[in-house]
Amino acid sequence: MIPREGTNLDPWYGLYADRTAGLSASEVRALFAVASRPEVVSLAGGMPFVSALPLESIRSSMERVMRDQGARALQYGSGQGTPELREHILEIMALEGVRAGVDDVVVTTGSQQALDLIAKLFLDSGDVVLAESPSYVGAMGIFRSYQAEVSHIAMDADGMIPAALVERIASLRAAGRRIKFLYLIPNFHNPAGVTLSWERRLEIIEIARREGVLIVEDNPYGLLWFDRPAPHAMRSVETDGIVYLGSFSKTLAPGFRIGWALAPHAIREKLVLAAESAILSPSAVNELVVSDYLANADWKGQIDTFRGLYRERRDALIDALEHYLPDLEWTNPNGGFYVWVTLPEGLDAKAMLPRAVKELVAYTPGTAFFADGAGRANLRLSYCYPTPNEIREGIRRLASVVRGEQELLSTFHPTGPVDLVLPAPHVISPPPNLG
Amino acid sequence: MIPREGTNLDPWYGLYADRTAGLSASEVRALFAVASRPEVVSLAGGMPFVSALPLESIRSSMERVMRDQGARALQYGSGQGTPELREHILEIMALEGVRAGVDDVVVTTGSQQALDLIAKLFLDSGDVVLAESPSYVGAMGIFRSYQAEVSHIAMDADGMIPAALVERIASLRAAGRRIKFLYLIPNFHNPAGVTLSWERRLEIIEIARREGVLIVEDNPYGLLWFDRPAPHAMRSVETDGIVYLGSFSKTLAPGFRIGWALAPHAIREKLVLAAESAILSPSAVNELVVSDYLANADWKGQIDTFRGLYRERRDALIDALEHYLPDLEWTNPNGGFYVWVTLPEGLDAKAMLPRAVKELVAYTPGTAFFADGAGRANLRLSYCYPTPNEIREGIRRLASVVRGEQELLSTFHPTGPVDLVLPAPHVISPPPNLG
């Protein structure tokens, strides 16, 4: 037990917790570093287009907060979050049909932290989390960090398929596995770009009630709809069985790191204790600035601006796909940031990525969004950050890469694609900060 | 496995992770809520006196950041923290003798989060963390939340006793226990108010090297010295075996929630991945504002102001103790926020707290700072937040409570104190936000 004398380069190698076994950098991380160069059109990241925000209005909020509440802003705050901000959060959730009390809300360091705390409260090693197929890379990283296993439930254009959920719950329980919760992104799914239909929301709630499965409803994109509002949140019809996660990162700005959880009473109490243990309290200055902004700025108008902007970019992306890559399949999102693309047979999105980056276009390979190694034929395209012209140029470049791959494939494997089985990817850390 | 049908009021009772077993609100939490009323002199919390900060200067930093780097401030940032802030952090640590590279620093949501991530990386259920006796309540809450056990090492006026450390390491290993790290607050200890001597720093580093024990050096108060500077940080002489934790919460303002870890290479890599998994990135706006403040304001002068202010309050507290409670014992800190008091035999600081709050003075009972139920005869007094006059009045009230307890004791137990064995307290969530 003298770790310094091991042969591993890390003298502390033998001392890490078991849960760090799954902790490794994304295989595509180095590539993404390259992809953040300005000459690359990045369709990879999930960065909102914050340049469209009313910077002057946010600056005014900061000034008012420092003038009127400076000492409070600079101090430790309540572990649960300030009452004013929690009140404002209730107004926001009301837009998606959710009614709740100010005591039910816990402010967190982005909704990512809420998810981390929920995972910490519920997941023992070997537990199962049910999630869509594909699912959010950052959520799966968290679940893996608590040694839980993700079991993917099939989706189609209307979101998770209820019958597949029922079947999976039964088979997992028959195998003696412990299901801890069902993690869902019902609106404008990351990465799949689809929305869970209202009928299926009700069906899934009913299944979860019957089976005693807690639902974690992650809804960062719900207000960013394009053609018609998203259905009301699942939390609007079920209060006791849902932990709802919300965020200001997509509707306002990620730089504040302010998200929240709305949880049933007993879970909420534990959540506050876990949050206090992890960070003592959220940033009071950021809470007060966001509250002031919500009280004084036209935040609904600003979300409308984002909606128009992202709608235009979604249109540019879909038009470019139709023009340059008509033989591919893709989802057509009614909101949010992402389009999910399926490549022609035989193409591997991860293997293709280095060539794409060489051609100055980046995307996220589909394998990042599966815990089980699936997704090689898929990629996620984000239209949130680049301009419409950049998006068109990016897809033109992508098309040239895809054509090159297809030529290569027909030259070397004229009889059909080779089915290589690759190991599951270890994408623990999502790359949010990529332009 | 249908949790809704249990008899517990929480329908999810059966689904929580094993680690939540130790998660419960502090017994004194409700009392502290009362203690935060303005008529109570609170000597309980660890809130810095942020009203002494140059608010106008901080406001200017916010304005400059929004004017010159608005879009960057509102965006996701790097998971490790901005390079500029990490450069500034190196300047700060240089004041305590620490030299490091900008790549070695990881910016976190307060140093509390750094501690949480270190615990997550290292602690499996049943592992042992060595810590001073007493130790920081918020650290022990974190260690407990990862199901580790704290083993307290005796201290005296010069800090942790090296011989006690050697002995404990041997006895724990003989018993087959796994020691994961040694957690220390060398400067102006919370709650003990003492400072680890330079000689002992070297001795403990040598012991840790020999025994292969990682050191976690937590140093939020080091620059807040009164009569003479603290010895250089342990990290100044040992780089490979120490994770150093720093914070802006005490030297600047906790409202930004900006702290940092300086870790050996292999640990630092894992730390960044764990940080990204937990929160994606720290608050970019807060990082940029703190960087601008450090670049443009007289931050060393401002720390001098804090030093003078806290020195005056320490003096007021010690003077008042000498005047009103000369038969008690206490430590006389050369910096930081805390004095550790030992009550006369037979008195119980926790049992006395409700009476103290009734007399409009609050403190933190010593039991909060031990994992093993010790500390009944102790209490922690914080002089950081109340004014010198409030401190004197608080100690006057405390003396009246102590006298009342002593009278009660001599009336009902004339033959001596009764030795009740109380259960260990469950103080998982520290109460930082108490005036």
Side-chain angles (χ1 to χ4, degrees):
Chain A
M1 170 93 175
I2 308 223
R4 283 162 177 273
E5 301 188 351
T7 52
N8 191 286
L9 284 174
D10 178 3
W12 308 106
Y13 182 74
L15 285 185
Y16 294 110
D18 292 342
R19 67 176 74 83
T20 63
L23 190 73
S24 60
S26 158
E27 295 172 41
V28 294
R29 200 181 167 98
L31 267 176
F32 279 134
V34 176
S36 67
R37 293 200 315 231
E39 65 271 26
V40 176
V41 172
S42 179
L43 304 166
M47 283 162 57
F49 193 72
V50 293
S51 299
L53 286 169
L55 297 191
E56 184 50 38
S57 172
I58 294 171
R59 206 196 51 68
S60 300
S61 287
M62 289 175 169
E63 190 169 326
R64 262 193 306 272
V65 164
M66 288 305 291
R67 189 190 63 205
D68 301 338
Q69 308 183 70
R72 185 179 174 217
L74 297 173
Q75 193 53 273
Y76 288 108
S78 149
Q80 189 170 356
T82 68
E84 306 95 290
L85 182 57
R86 289 186 275 132
E87 285 283 0
H88 284 299
I89 285 169
L90 295 182
E91 291 169 41
I92 291 166
M93 286 191 296
L95 297 179
E96 302 189 75
V98 176
R99 296 186 58 166
V102 74
D103 282 350
D104 303 326
V105 179
V106 184
V107 177
T108 53
T109 302
S111 61
Q112 187 79 8
Q113 193 204 11
L115 201 49
D116 185 62
L117 296 172
I118 289 292
K120 187 173 180 186
L121 287 182
F122 281 98
L123 300 180
D124 285 314
S125 177
D127 285 346
V128 176
V129 175
L130 304 170
E132 289 136 329
S133 178
S135 185
Y136 167 48
V137 55
M140 293 193 297
I142 287 173
F143 304 152
R144 195 181 301 117
S145 81
Y146 292 98
Q147 300 172 271
E149 191 182 296
V150 170
S151 184
H152 288 292
I153 312 294
M155 311 173 79
D156 60 21
D158 290 324
M160 181 176 280
I161 299 168
L165 174 62
V166 171
E167 204 175 297
R168 183 67 54 82
I169 293 172
S171 67
L172 284 165
R173 288 187 172 162
R177 303 300 299 270
R178 305 213 320 158
I179 299 167
K180 283 303 177 72
F181 52 81
L182 165 62
Y183 171 74
L184 282 166
I185 306 172
N187 294 327
F188 321 133
H189 188 269
N190 176 9
V194 301
T195 292
L196 187 64
S197 71
W198 179 246
E199 293 68 30
R200 286 196 181 171
R201 290 180 195 223
L202 299 179
E203 266 187 272
I204 288 174
I205 287 168
E206 195 43 47
I207 293 164
R209 280 183 183 151
R210 197 171 63 228
E211 300 289 345
V213 171
L214 179 69
I215 293 173
V216 177
E217 179 180 26
D218 192 3
N219 188 23
Y221 309 101
L223 296 179
L224 297 174
W225 51 271
F226 301 152
D227 309 312
R228 59 193 175 282
H232 274 178
M234 297 171 80
R235 175 58 176 71
S236 69
V237 288
E238 165 65 38
T239 57
D240 292 344
I242 295 187
V243 177
Y244 175 98
L245 308 183
S247 176
F248 287 107
S249 293
K250 307 306 194 284
T251 50
L252 177 53
F256 295 116
R257 309 308 301 119
I258 302 278
W260 68 89
L262 174 68
H265 181 74
I267 296 175
R268 191 264 299 157
E269 280 192 334
K270 288 188 164 57
L271 202 54
V272 171
L273 294 173
E276 288 179 355
S277 175
I279 60 158
L280 301 180
S281 64
S283 166
V285 59
N286 290 351
E287 289 187 275
L288 295 180
V289 168
V290 170
S291 287
D292 184 278
Y293 173 81
L294 295 170
N296 293 297
D298 176 20
W299 61 272
K300 289 185 189 175
Q302 171 251 303
I303 291 179
D304 276 343
T305 303
F306 268 154
R307 282 215 299 266
L309 184 108
Y310 295 133
R311 185 195 297 114
E312 189 190 356
R313 290 170 184 207
R314 186 249 350 228
D315 289 345
L317 179 60
I318 299 293
D319 286 350
L321 285 171
E322 282 170 355
H323 184 259
Y324 291 110
L325 285 163
D327 52 327
L328 268 56
E329 286 171 36
W330 56 81
T331 55
N332 192 340
N334 175 38
F337 286 5
Y338 308 109
V339 168
W340 184 245
V341 174
T342 306
L343 293 173
E345 221 182 324
L347 263 57
D348 181 321
K350 196 160 134 195
M352 189 173 79
L353 183 59
R355 282 155 252 177
V357 172
K358 190 158 171 285
E359 297 292 322
L360 305 180
V361 61
Y363 55 81
T364 310
T367 43
F369 306 99
F370 292 91
D372 58 6
R376 287 173 56 206
N378 297 108
L379 52 91
R380 186 192 75 176
L381 299 178
S382 313
Y383 48 81
C384 44
Y385 197 77
T387 63
N389 278 339
E390 290 168 339
I391 289 170
R392 274 184 286 271
E393 174 59 18
I395 297 300
R396 198 190 60 75
R397 294 175 188 170
L398 181 64
S400 134
V401 175
V402 168
R403 295 302 159 236
E405 292 291 290
Q406 286 177 313
E407 267 173 44
L408 215 64
L409 195 71
S410 65
T411 308
F412 291 100
H413 307 291
T415 55
V418 175
D419 195 18
L420 285 171
V421 177
L422 294 181
H426 290 289
V427 182
I428 187 111
S429 60
N433 52 333
L434 299 165
Chain B
M1 173 96 175
I2 306 220
R4 281 161 179 272
E5 301 187 353
T7 51
N8 190 288
L9 283 174
D10 177 4
W12 307 106
Y13 182 73
L15 286 184
Y16 293 110
D18 291 343
R19 71 177 69 83
T20 63
L23 190 72
S24 59
S26 158
E27 294 171 44
V28 294
R29 200 183 168 96
L31 266 176
F32 279 135
V34 176
S36 67
R37 293 198 313 230
E39 65 271 26
V40 177
V41 172
S42 178
L43 305 166
M47 282 163 56
F49 192 71
V50 293
S51 299
L53 287 169
L55 296 193
E56 185 50 36
S57 174
I58 295 172
R59 207 197 50 70
S60 299
S61 287
M62 289 175 169
E63 188 169 328
R64 263 193 305 273
V65 164
M66 288 305 289
R67 189 190 63 203
D68 302 338
Q69 310 183 70
R72 185 178 173 218
L74 297 173
Q75 194 53 272
Y76 289 107
S78 148
Q80 188 171 356
T82 68
E84 305 97 291
L85 182 57
R86 288 185 277 132
E87 285 283 0
H88 284 298
I89 285 169
L90 295 182
E91 291 170 41
I92 292 166
M93 287 191 295
L95 297 179
E96 301 187 78
V98 175
R99 295 186 60 167
V102 74
D103 281 350
D104 303 326
V105 180
V106 183
V107 177
T108 54
T109 302
S111 61
Q112 187 78 7
Q113 193 204 9
L115 201 49
D116 184 63
L117 296 173
I118 288 292
K120 188 174 179 186
L121 287 182
F122 282 96
L123 299 180
D124 286 313
S125 176
D127 284 347
V128 175
V129 175
L130 303 171
E132 287 134 333
S133 177
S135 185
Y136 167 47
V137 56
M140 292 192 299
I142 286 173
F143 304 151
R144 198 181 300 119
S145 81
Y146 291 99
Q147 299 171 272
E149 192 183 297
V150 170
S151 183
H152 288 291
I153 313 294
M155 309 173 80
D156 61 20
D158 290 324
M160 181 176 281
I161 300 167
L165 174 63
V166 171
E167 203 175 298
R168 184 66 54 81
I169 292 171
S171 67
L172 284 165
R173 287 187 172 162
R177 302 299 300 269
R178 303 212 323 159
I179 298 167
K180 285 303 179 70
F181 53 82
L182 164 62
Y183 171 75
L184 282 165
I185 306 172
N187 294 327
F188 321 132
H189 188 268
N190 176 10
V194 301
T195 292
L196 187 64
S197 71
W198 180 246
E199 294 68 29
R200 286 198 181 169
R201 290 178 198 224
L202 298 179
E203 265 186 275
I204 288 174
I205 287 167
E206 195 45 46
I207 294 164
R209 278 181 184 153
R210 198 171 62 229
E211 300 289 344
V213 171
L214 180 68
I215 292 174
V216 177
E217 179 179 26
D218 191 4
N219 187 24
Y221 309 102
L223 296 179
L224 298 174
W225 51 271
F226 302 151
D227 309 312
R228 58 193 176 281
H232 275 180
M234 298 170 80
R235 175 59 175 72
S236 69
V237 287
E238 165 64 38
T239 56
D240 292 344
I242 295 188
V243 177
Y244 175 97
L245 307 183
S247 176
F248 288 106
S249 292
K250 306 306 193 284
T251 51
L252 177 55
F256 295 116
R257 310 308 300 117
I258 303 277
W260 69 89
L262 176 66
H265 181 75
I267 296 175
R268 190 264 298 157
E269 280 192 335
K270 287 188 165 57
L271 202 54
V272 172
L273 293 174
E276 289 179 354
S277 176
I279 59 156
L280 301 181
S281 64
S283 165
V285 59
N286 289 351
E287 289 185 276
L288 296 180
V289 168
V290 170
S291 288
D292 184 280
Y293 173 82
L294 294 170
N296 293 297
D298 176 20
W299 63 270
K300 289 184 190 174
Q302 170 251 303
I303 291 178
D304 276 343
T305 303
F306 268 153
R307 281 215 300 265
L309 183 109
Y310 295 133
R311 185 195 298 113
E312 189 190 357
R313 291 172 184 205
R314 186 247 354 227
D315 290 345
L317 179 60
I318 299 294
D319 288 351
L321 284 171
E322 283 169 354
H323 184 259
Y324 291 110
L325 285 163
D327 52 328
L328 270 55
E329 288 171 35
W330 56 81
T331 55
N332 192 341
N334 175 37
F337 287 3
Y338 309 109
V339 168
W340 184 245
V341 174
T342 306
L343 293 174
E345 221 184 325
L347 264 56
D348 181 321
K350 195 160 135 194
M352 191 172 78
L353 183 58
R355 282 155 251 177
V357 172
K358 190 158 170 286
E359 297 293 323
L360 305 181
V361 61
Y363 56 82
T364 309
T367 44
F369 306 99
F370 292 91
D372 57 8
R376 286 173 57 205
N378 298 106
L379 51 92
R380 187 192 74 177
L381 299 178
S382 313
Y383 48 81
C384 44
Y385 198 78
T387 64
N389 279 339
E390 289 168 339
I391 289 171
R392 276 184 283 271
E393 174 59 17
I395 297 300
R396 199 190 59 75
R397 293 175 189 171
L398 182 64
S400 132
V401 175
V402 169
R403 297 297 162 242
E405 292 290 291
Q406 285 177 314
E407 268 174 43
L408 213 65
L409 196 70
S410 65
T411 308
F412 290 100
H413 307 289
T415 55
V418 175
D419 195 18
L420 284 169
V421 177
L422 294 181
H426 292 287
V427 182
I428 187 111
S429 59
N433 51 334
L434 298 166

